[in-house]
Every structure is written in structure tokens, then in C-alpha cells.
Amino acid sequence: MTNKHQIPYKIYLSEEEMPKQWFDLRPDMKELPAPMLHPGTLQPVTAADLAPVFCDELIAQELNTTQRFIDIPEEVQNFYKMYRPSPVVRAYHLEKELGTPAHIYYKFEGSNTSGSHKLNSAVPQVYYAKKQGISSVTTETGAGQWGTALSMACAFFKMGLKVYMVKVSSEQKPYRKAVMETYGATVIPSPSTTTEIGRKILAEFPNTGGSLGCAISEAIEVAVTSDNCRYVLGSVLNHVLLHQSIIGLEAKAALDKYDVYPDVVIGCAGGGSNLGGLIAPYMSEKIKGRSNTRFIAVEPASCPSLTRGRMAYDFGDTGKTTPLMKMYTLGSGFIPSPNHAGGLRYHGMNSVLSKLHEDGYLEAKSYEQTKVFDAATKFARSEGILPAPESAHAIQAAIDEALACKESGEAKTILFGLSGTGYFDMAAYMAYKEGTMTDYVPTDADLEVGFATLPKIG
Amino acid sequence: MTNKHQIPYKIYLSEEEMPKQWFDLRPDMKELPAPMLHPGTLQPVTAADLAPVFCDELIAQELNTTQRFIDIPEEVQNFYKMYRPSPVVRAYHLEKELGTPAHIYYKFEGSNTSGSHKLNSAVPQVYYAKKQGISSVTTETGAGQWGTALSMACAFFKMGLKVYMVKVSSEQKPYRKAVMETYGATVIPSPSTTTEIGRKILAEFPNTGGSLGCAISEAIEVAVTSDNCRYVLGSVLNHVLLHQSIIGLEAKAALDKYDVYPDVVIGCAGGGSNLGGLIAPYMSEKIKGRSNTRFIAVEPASCPSLTRGRMAYDFGDTGKTTPLMKMYTLGSGFIPSPNHAGGLRYHGMNSVLSKLHEDGYLEAKSYEQTKVFDAATKFARSEGILPAPESAHAIQAAIDEALACKESGEAKTILFGLSGTGYFDMAAYMAYKEGTMTDYVPTDADLEVGFATLPKIG
């Protein structure tokens, strides 16, 4: 009975319409990404190599290249039902503000307490660990969205959790820490005296504010040296993208109900989980030659892995303890400037997205941060939602596409991912408003410092 | 085609099913609340008395006692569609955690950037002012939810806004201030040098942290002395309850679809806007003798207007500048202790709710704040949403009802209002976790100090 031409402000799926399977894009790719390598042997990693770090089901998903659809366990579906489906919103008010003939839609993932899409992967990761009889998990967090999501999942499944939070971040964001603790997590500022690597770093640099690389190393050390404990990660890896495919599957199911098909799909990209999840079902159509949709990854100019990085094998962490991944990277030794989109400050990029970019399926662009906050403010005032700085990168790109439509008179359909809210980023909004926010673009020489840390392979 | 016995986790209405009219309970009441009085003449106030302070349409709604349904303007409906309908959620996970046979539902009003139900009234208030040609509005804010909601509405309708924010609150909650400023509001810590009353108070008490009463006085002074400016208020008044009836109307429409009728309806109550909005359509049925539903108002033990206050004519502000309202009150001179549910720290109570309580339709109970944070934490861990301290009062009452059902074996249906989220209340959660949160219950002697400030009338 739906009038297909009358698009509501928000399109919700019913619970019955929610996806019951995740979607893995890899089986559809014409050429697969290069395999993860063991850093010692330089041979493709095996499940056994990864077993001390990750739980078994997640390893199977990580190494999968043939199974397109993977069932979402019923317990995970039940958790999803508490905060999903998330709406696809027609940005009528933003369109009007811009005076564009374009139709703008966004998939909003911020309406849960973790404030972002991160919960979509936290829930299955904790569920699978629990099912395997694991009693606790460890992770690192920078901006805090992943740590918060994981705390929520661990509280629900009654699983122990240690979060290594970059020290400077835990001091700047005490409220993020408080949310995680409310959910029962133990939050440890990193570097800490609880691990060997932490003690070593503290001995050498007693006043360090820590880094994501160091926090990862501490979390992994705890996982591999503790009984019945595993490490979990919120982005970059392929099993995370698999879980995040719920974003794209829901978006496509919602838009299909109204015969809407996007001409361009846009997402911000740090490690790639939100973007990879959003584009998955649409990219499948493009690979099969059934659509001409354009896909755009948006990153900060200060950390430009896709736009200025190199496609190379690299470590996932600064400590060089992870397997090697073939990806666009700035080098694991690249130190991103302290901008306000903490979730996008990663030196590398998921290997599937890197391959898609290399093969011409995925465009990439970057913005400086004051421009991103211009977009964030404009969006908040017209669409009501205060976006996360990360998500505002996608907003700016959507606005640019919409203004190009205004120029050309084309009524294109634009879909972007609004991955989260900015309630815990108000210090950044204050800096923007007070004019103390600075932009930073690394020079070629700055990038060379990072590239010099790339491992020499083959 | 709906299976009426299969209740989903979340019940959403479609846009077509959203209420197109608000509902005013007063025409259904067997006896109306006593009229608002002019403090000088002690005669019922007229529209003309209120015209310098409020815009005309809101005055008409305030004084209405005969019209049951009032059309929601299309522009307001369009704004509502950006963040409404809000879901009715079946608290399956909380039920399981409690081991209760009760069926618990909550109406969740926190999934918008203002984080609470306040936006429901901010939107029409700004819309009507705009329509009347008013160019700016003023208000006060304490905890900040109302100021935030109003900032969002003013940004959307491009209306000027000055928010007088209790000084100590603006210092403790710089991020709340930053959100309002992001939406374009001018936020002035109160008392300030921008008003006569502010300057007078500062001269007398140079180090004061301010109070809601003082902020109200400053905001009203600006409204009545500025060209083309009006004052707006986020609770207590009947036109605010009218707008908030959207909560109850949506809740009833959603539950009716599944033939669910609540045995008990629970809401937290400060000025009464959230509770009054939630119960309106159900209370109408009760008044007409068509249901035996119980209604419970929940307030902090530290500010017990319904449970320990007096039904009397009183001023709405500490400055004694407003009309007199017949209500349960602790006296406008009552100074509530600085607890963490800032939205419930008000000396009085909406006059309709007061009358319903006096006439036996509405029960009331109070809780101390550590118990409320026990409930908040339990709820966050099982249902995922981090509640506002205000809303957690309703959660605790719902839990108590559910545990009584466990005792008696009854499968009652409980509906409560989850009026907002606690993202900006993490300092309170930290105090709770660290054990530094204290409870406070005023002695009878403390209350007498407040009662002594009641005006002597008739």
C-alpha cells in the first residue's frame, strides 16, 4: 500500500524485515585482496596462527573468501533488536538549506548509547567469545566509541573486559571512561604498569601520553598471557566489516522499498568498518556490472592513507606485532596529528577497501578539519542531529556532491553514512567555535618519515 | 497481518500513524484545576495579562479548558518527523534480569540531540513565536536539556535565542553550553550584568553561583523589556503539557496495535511535563471510568513536592514575579539540595497533575538518589540505554512494581517514560561509582522554611 513516490523522513524496517545474515563482499570481488602474512615466515596466516589472539569463529570469518552470507546468531539478532534497525533518513531539511535538486539520504548509526556503529561488531565479537567459553576480552580505545560499544556488549553477555585507553585520551575524556565503567569495564590508562610492554615504555618515556599503537600492544599482551582471554578489535579487520554489513543491508532494504537507488554512496574511513559495511551490498552490484554507482571514502587531510598513502604490506600496529596486511598505508610509524576525529586517525586501511580503491571501484578524498566542522554545524542546525567529527567528513562530501548537482541541475540520489553522534566531542566543537581549531596537512617530507617504517618485503 | 501476541522489541508508528493533534486532558476532568491568579489583583489572569511575556497562541493554549484536541501545525509535524515517532520498547532483557512475570514497556524520548522529551514543546513554542512575527525568545536552563532543545528549535526556525544558564551549572557543564552555542544560541551565565535584576543580585552577592529562580527573572526581564521578544518555559505550564501529550498519544497508538493496555503508568516528575504528556490519554480513560490503570509520579526525596508538599497557591519562581498557581509546592523559597537530577529540582508541580493527585487519580512516591543510580546502572547494563538521572526515578519505580509482580506472581503490564539519556550527566555517574554520591532528605524543619515563603491568600 506504500506510495512509492511519497518518501517519508525516516524509513524504518520492521523486525521481520531486518537482515538475518551478514554479507561478505569478498566472494564477489574479481580479484581478492592479498592474504594476511605471518610476519616471521611471510607465509599466509593460518587459523592456528591467530588462535591465541582471536576467538575461533572470528578467525574463520576473517579468513573466509567464499561464503557470501553468514547467519547472524539469534542471540546477536536479539541484541540488535534493542537498538536496530537504524533509520535511513531523507535529509529534506538539508536539501532545502542547500537549495539542491539532489535527493540526500543518510543511514544513521548513532542512536545507541555507544553513539556509533561500533556496537554492530562489538555484539557478535563478545557473543562468539562467550560461546567459545572465553571468560574475558581485552581491547584498546582511542576516541572511546569502540571501548564504549564493547563495554555495553560485555555487560549484556556478562563477560569480563579490560580496556586500554590511550592515557591522554582517558585524561581528556573522563566521561567516556565513566560510561565504560558504568557498564562494568575496567579501564586502564595506557601505557600502564600492568603489562611488560607498558612498563618498558614507561621506563623509557615516563611522561608519555600514550598512543593507540602502545595500547594495542598492551591489550594483545594481556590476551595472549592470560587464561581464557582473547583480544578484540573494532575496525580494520575483515570480520569487523562483515558485521558492519548490517548497515548497508538495512539501508538497501529500506531504500528498495521505495525504489530508490543511490547514484553515489559516501562514508568516512579510518580503519574502514563503517564505510565497508555501508557500501557492501551496493558494491556487489557495481562489481557485477549492474550499476554505475560511485563510492567515495572520505578521510582527514591530516591522516590521508587512501589519498596519499602507498599500497603495501604493513603492520597493523606501531609495535609491529600483528600480521602483515596489504593495504593503503602511511607506514605504521606515521604519527597522525592530534586532530578531533580520533576514529579516523589510523595509518592504514582495511585490505578489501584498499583493493577496491586500487582497482578503481572506490574513490577517495580528504578534507581539513575546520571545513568538516563547518559541515557538522550546518547539518546540526538543519537536520537536528549533532554529528561525530568522523561522520562529518561524510557530510561534507555529501554537501559537495549536492552543490555540484545544484550547479548542473541534476537530481542525483546521494546516500551517506552518519556513523555516530558527537556528544562526547564537545571540546572539539568549542575549539571550532572559538576559532582555536587548526588545520594540518602533512608535507611530503612528513609522509616520507612514515613510509620509511614500512617493512621491506619481496 | 500483525500477530497481536508477538510483541516486537520496539514498536514504531509509521509517519501516517503519528498523531496530528495534541490532546488536552482538562476538558475531561471532573473538576478543573483552580485558575492562575494575577499576583496583584488575585483575579484569574487574562490573555492580556500574559501577552507581554508569552506569545498569543501559547496563551490561548494555556487558558484553554474546553478544547480536547488541538491541531499540530504542519511545520511542527515536519520537525517532529525528523526525530519522531519515538519507539515504545518492550524491556524483554530487563524483565529477564529481574525474573519477573510482569511485562515492562518504556516510551523512549531520548533519541534526539537534546537528549530528552523537551524538544516536543520547544518546537511548537518557537514555531508559534515565529508565526507571530517575534524575532527572538529568552529562557533559563538549569541542567541544560531545555536550553539544548530550544537551541535546536531556534536554529531550525532561524529565531534569535538568549539562554540564561545558572552560573554554577554553566561552569560545571561547559559541554552543554557548547551544544547550545553550536546551534547558534547566546548562553549567558546567570546572574549576569545584562539585566537590572542580575546587576542587583551581583552587587549584593558578588560570588553567587546563581539559581534557577534568578535565571528565570533575568530571562523574563529581557523578554518584557526587549522589542519583539518573548519568554518561553520548558515545563510546569499547561501548554507545555499539551505539547508533551504527543508522548502519551504515540505510546497508546503503538500499544493499541498489539492490544496492550497498561495496568500501571509511571513517570518522573519535576515540573510535570514528561509525566503529564505520557499519562494524558490513559488518564482520560480512567477519569471516564473505563480503566483501573494506576498512575505513579516519581520524584527525588530531596525535592518532594507531591509527596510532602502542600496544595496551595504559589509563585512559579523564587523572585515571585509570575502569576500564582494552585499546586503542590514546597514554597518558592525552598532551596533544593544540589542533587544530580537537575530536571526534577523544582519547588512546585504542574496544576493539572497537582489536582489529579489531590483527587486521588495520581499516586506519588519518592526515592533517594543512590537508589536511583542503582536502577540506572542496572537498566543500562540490561537494556543498553544510559538513562538520564531524572528518568532513572521512573525506572526504579517500574522495577519495584515488577518485583512486586514477581512476589505475587501477577503478569501486570507496566509502562514507564524514559524521558532522556544521561550522556551529559557522567559526573553524577562517576560520583555514584566512586561512592561519593550522598543522599539527602529534608527534615520537617527544612520544609517549614520553604512553606513559610508561601503567599498568604484568601
Side-chain angles (χ1 to χ4, degrees):
Chain A
M1 299 292 286
T2 301
N3 176 349
K4 299 232 176 197
H5 300 287
Q6 184 65 39
I7 311 281
Y9 278 72
K10 293 184 296 180
I11 311 173
Y12 276 107
L13 301 177
S14 69
E15 277 181 16
E16 295 74 42
E17 293 170 321
M18 278 176 71
K20 310 243 176 330
Q21 298 182 305
W22 293 300
F23 173 65
D24 195 321
L25 183 64
R26 283 174 289 181
D28 286 346
M29 292 173 75
K30 294 211 169 134
E31 203 174 304
L32 285 173
M36 216 181 243
L37 301 183
H38 188 289
T41 64
L42 298 186
Q43 294 301 305
V45 290
T46 63
D49 291 336
L50 298 173
V53 180
F54 298 107
C55 82
D56 300 346
E57 196 72 39
L58 296 172
I59 294 170
Q61 293 177 354
E62 186 63 31
L63 301 179
N64 170 53
T65 55
T66 55
Q67 199 181 339
R68 299 179 74 232
F69 288 98
I70 293 180
D71 289 344
I72 304 174
E74 197 184 332
E75 291 86 343
V76 173
Q77 288 189 42
N78 285 343
F79 193 118
Y80 278 176
K81 285 174 188 168
M82 285 202 293
Y83 73 99
R84 309 197 66 79
S86 72
V88 172
V89 187
R90 174 74 182 269
Y92 281 117
H93 298 299
L94 180 63
E95 289 171 16
K96 193 175 161 200
E97 184 71 27
L98 298 173
T100 177
H103 295 191
I104 307 175
Y105 295 85
Y106 55 94
K107 176 73 169 161
F108 179 42
E109 290 292 319
S111 58
N112 68 76
T113 291
S114 78
S116 81
H117 67 292
K118 294 288 185 185
L119 195 54
N120 301 336
S121 185
V123 177
Q125 290 198 47
V126 174
Y127 166 75
Y128 287 124
K130 182 88 182 176
K131 198 179 155 207
Q132 194 179 321
I134 306 296
S135 57
S136 71
V137 294
T138 66
T139 199
E140 75 292 327
T141 200
Q145 291 183 324
W146 169 243
T148 306
L150 198 62
S151 303
M152 292 172 66
C154 285
F156 186 81
F157 289 112
K158 303 192 194 303
M159 169 80 83
L161 171 62
K162 266 189 197 168
V163 179
Y164 284 87
M165 185 171 190
V166 177
K167 194 188 213 167
V168 59
S169 180
S170 78
E171 286 163 359
Q172 284 170 351
K173 297 190 167 186
Y175 293 161
R176 267 288 183 203
K177 185 165 174 282
V179 175
M180 291 183 257
E181 290 176 342
T182 294
Y183 281 95
T186 302
V187 182
I188 302 165
S190 166
S192 76
T193 57
T194 65
T195 64
E196 199 167 310
I197 181 85
R199 288 188 293 273
K200 194 173 148 197
I201 291 170
L202 283 173
E204 203 169 344
F205 308 102
N207 298 318
T208 179
S211 72
L212 209 50
C214 169
I216 295 177
S217 303
E218 286 200 272
I220 293 180
E221 179 183 324
V222 169
V224 299
T225 58
S226 303
D227 268 358
N228 216 11
C229 178
R230 291 295 184 281
Y231 168 72
V232 291
L233 186 67
S235 189
V236 185
L237 297 177
N238 290 315
H239 66 269
V240 182
L241 262 74
L242 172 73
H243 307 150
Q244 297 295 355
S245 69
I246 189 85
I247 304 173
L249 294 169
E250 277 186 11
K252 188 163 185 304
L255 290 175
D256 282 352
K257 290 190 353 180
Y258 292 88
D259 285 344
V260 172
Y261 203 94
D263 296 303
V264 51
V265 182
I266 300 167
C268 64
S273 70
N274 147 65
L275 175 71
L278 174 65
I279 69 175
Y282 288 114
M283 183 60 85
S284 168
E285 295 298 301
K286 169 136 173 164
I287 289 172
K288 292 172 187 159
R290 295 182 190 156
S291 90
N292 282 317
T293 299
R294 289 168 55 218
F295 298 89
I296 308 176
V298 193
E299 55 188 17
S302 58
C303 192
S305 51
L306 281 173
T307 49
R308 295 175 69 197
R310 290 187 186 160
M311 185 68 172
Y313 266 110
D314 196 8
F315 292 98
D317 65 332
T318 13
K320 303 196 174 189
T321 62
T322 70
L324 293 162
M325 293 173 283
K326 184 90 179 277
M327 60 183 176
Y328 278 91
T329 176
L330 298 164
S332 64
F334 177 78
I335 308 292
S337 81
N339 74 35
H340 290 293
L344 304 182
R345 282 169 58 204
Y346 184 68
H347 66 276
M349 181 60 62
N350 166 267
S351 61
V352 166
L353 295 177
S354 291
K355 180 69 178 157
L356 291 169
H357 182 53
E358 184 179 39
D359 292 348
Y361 290 104
L362 174 65
E363 303 170 32
K365 66 193 298 184
S366 71
Y367 291 111
E368 296 178 36
Q369 70 175 348
T370 50
K371 193 170 174 65
V372 165
F373 276 82
D374 289 345
T377 304
K378 188 189 291 284
F379 184 81
R381 293 186 184 185
S382 55
E383 288 291 318
I385 299 169
L386 187 92
E390 291 84 355
S391 318
H393 286 73
I395 296 172
Q396 180 60 54
I399 289 175
D400 278 356
E401 289 291 323
L403 292 178
C405 286
K406 188 176 180 179
E407 196 76 20
S408 68
E410 289 171 287
K412 284 189 188 167
T413 297
I414 300 166
L415 169 66
F416 73 88
L418 189 69
S419 54
T421 54
Y423 305 143
F424 290 92
D425 299 282
M426 293 317 300
Y429 276 93
M430 285 166 78
Y432 168 74
K433 186 181 171 287
E434 288 159 9
T436 59
M437 178 171 280
T438 54
D439 286 326
Y440 169 76
V441 182
T443 63
D444 288 343
D446 292 332
L447 294 187
E448 284 304 327
V449 175
F451 293 144
T453 66
L454 284 171
K456 309 289 174 280
I457 292 177
Chain B
M1 302 291 285
T2 300
N3 175 351
K4 299 232 175 196
H5 299 287
Q6 183 66 38
I7 313 280
Y9 278 71
K10 293 184 297 181
I11 310 174
Y12 277 107
L13 301 176
S14 69
E15 277 181 16
E16 296 73 41
E17 293 169 322
M18 279 176 69
K20 311 240 174 335
Q21 298 183 305
W22 294 300
F23 172 66
D24 195 321
L25 183 63
R26 283 173 290 181
D28 286 346
M29 291 173 75
K30 296 211 168 133
E31 203 174 304
L32 285 173
M36 217 182 245
L37 300 184
H38 188 290
T41 65
L42 296 187
Q43 294 302 306
V45 290
T46 63
D49 291 335
L50 298 174
V53 180
F54 298 106
C55 81
D56 300 346
E57 195 72 40
L58 296 172
I59 293 170
Q61 293 176 355
E62 186 63 30
L63 300 179
N64 170 54
T65 54
T66 55
Q67 199 181 339
R68 298 180 74 233
F69 288 99
I70 294 181
D71 289 343
I72 304 174
E74 196 185 331
E75 292 86 342
V76 174
Q77 288 189 43
N78 284 343
F79 193 119
Y80 278 176
K81 285 175 189 168
M82 285 203 293
Y83 73 99
R84 308 197 67 80
S86 74
V88 171
V89 187
R90 174 75 183 268
Y92 281 118
H93 297 300
L94 180 63
E95 290 171 16
K96 193 174 160 200
E97 184 72 25
L98 298 173
T100 177
H103 295 190
I104 308 175
Y105 295 85
Y106 54 94
K107 177 74 169 162
F108 179 43
E109 290 291 321
S111 58
N112 67 76
T113 291
S114 78
S116 81
H117 67 291
K118 294 288 184 186
L119 195 54
N120 301 335
S121 185
V123 177
Q125 290 198 47
V126 175
Y127 166 76
Y128 287 124
K130 183 88 184 178
K131 197 178 156 209
Q132 194 180 319
I134 306 295
S135 57
S136 70
V137 293
T138 66
T139 198
E140 76 292 326
T141 200
Q145 290 184 325
W146 169 243
T148 306
L150 198 62
S151 303
M152 291 172 66
C154 285
F156 186 82
F157 289 112
K158 302 191 193 306
M159 169 80 82
L161 170 62
K162 267 189 197 169
V163 179
Y164 284 87
M165 186 171 189
V166 177
K167 194 190 215 165
V168 61
S169 181
S170 78
E171 286 163 359
Q172 283 170 352
K173 297 190 167 187
Y175 293 162
R176 267 289 182 202
K177 184 166 175 281
V179 175
M180 291 183 256
E181 289 176 342
T182 294
Y183 282 96
T186 301
V187 182
I188 302 166
S190 167
S192 76
T193 57
T194 65
T195 64
E196 200 168 309
I197 181 86
R199 287 188 293 273
K200 193 174 149 199
I201 290 170
L202 282 173
E204 203 169 342
F205 309 101
N207 298 318
T208 178
S211 72
L212 208 51
C214 169
I216 294 177
S217 302
E218 287 200 87
I220 294 180
E221 180 183 323
V222 169
V224 299
T225 59
S226 303
D227 268 358
N228 216 11
C229 179
R230 289 296 184 282
Y231 169 72
V232 291
L233 186 66
S235 190
V236 186
L237 297 177
N238 291 315
H239 65 269
V240 182
L241 263 73
L242 172 73
H243 306 149
Q244 296 296 355
S245 68
I246 189 88
I247 303 174
L249 294 168
E250 278 186 10
K252 188 163 185 305
L255 290 175
D256 282 352
K257 291 193 347 181
Y258 292 88
D259 285 343
V260 172
Y261 203 94
D263 297 301
V264 51
V265 182
I266 300 167
C268 63
S273 71
N274 147 64
L275 175 71
L278 175 66
I279 69 174
Y282 287 114
M283 183 60 86
S284 168
E285 295 298 301
K286 170 138 174 162
I287 289 171
K288 292 172 187 159
R290 296 183 190 155
S291 90
N292 284 318
T293 299
R294 290 169 54 219
F295 298 89
I296 308 175
V298 193
E299 54 187 19
S302 59
C303 194
S305 51
L306 282 173
T307 48
R308 297 175 67 197
R310 291 186 187 160
M311 185 68 172
Y313 266 110
D314 196 9
F315 292 99
D317 65 333
T318 14
K320 303 196 174 191
T321 62
T322 70
L324 293 163
M325 292 172 284
K326 184 89 177 278
M327 58 183 176
Y328 278 91
T329 176
L330 298 164
S332 66
F334 176 79
I335 307 293
S337 81
N339 75 33
H340 290 294
L344 304 183
R345 284 169 56 203
Y346 184 67
H347 67 276
M349 181 59 63
N350 166 268
S351 61
V352 167
L353 294 177
S354 292
K355 181 69 178 155
L356 290 169
H357 181 54
E358 184 179 40
D359 292 349
Y361 291 103
L362 174 65
E363 304 170 33
K365 65 192 300 183
S366 71
Y367 291 110
E368 297 179 35
Q369 69 176 348
T370 50
K371 194 169 172 67
V372 165
F373 276 82
D374 290 344
T377 304
K378 187 188 292 282
F379 185 80
R381 293 184 185 186
S382 56
E383 288 290 318
I385 299 169
L386 188 92
E390 290 84 355
S391 319
H393 286 74
I395 296 172
Q396 180 60 53
I399 289 175
D400 279 354
E401 289 292 323
L403 292 178
C405 286
K406 187 176 179 178
E407 197 75 22
S408 68
E410 289 171 290
K412 284 190 188 165
T413 296
I414 300 165
L415 169 65
F416 72 90
L418 189 68
S419 54
T421 54
Y423 306 144
F424 291 92
D425 299 282
M426 293 317 301
Y429 276 92
M430 284 167 77
Y432 168 72
K433 187 183 171 285
E434 287 159 9
T436 59
M437 177 170 280
T438 53
D439 287 326
Y440 169 76
V441 182
T443 64
D444 287 345
D446 293 334
L447 294 186
E448 284 304 328
V449 175
F451 293 145
T453 66
L454 284 171
K456 310 289 173 280
I457 292 175

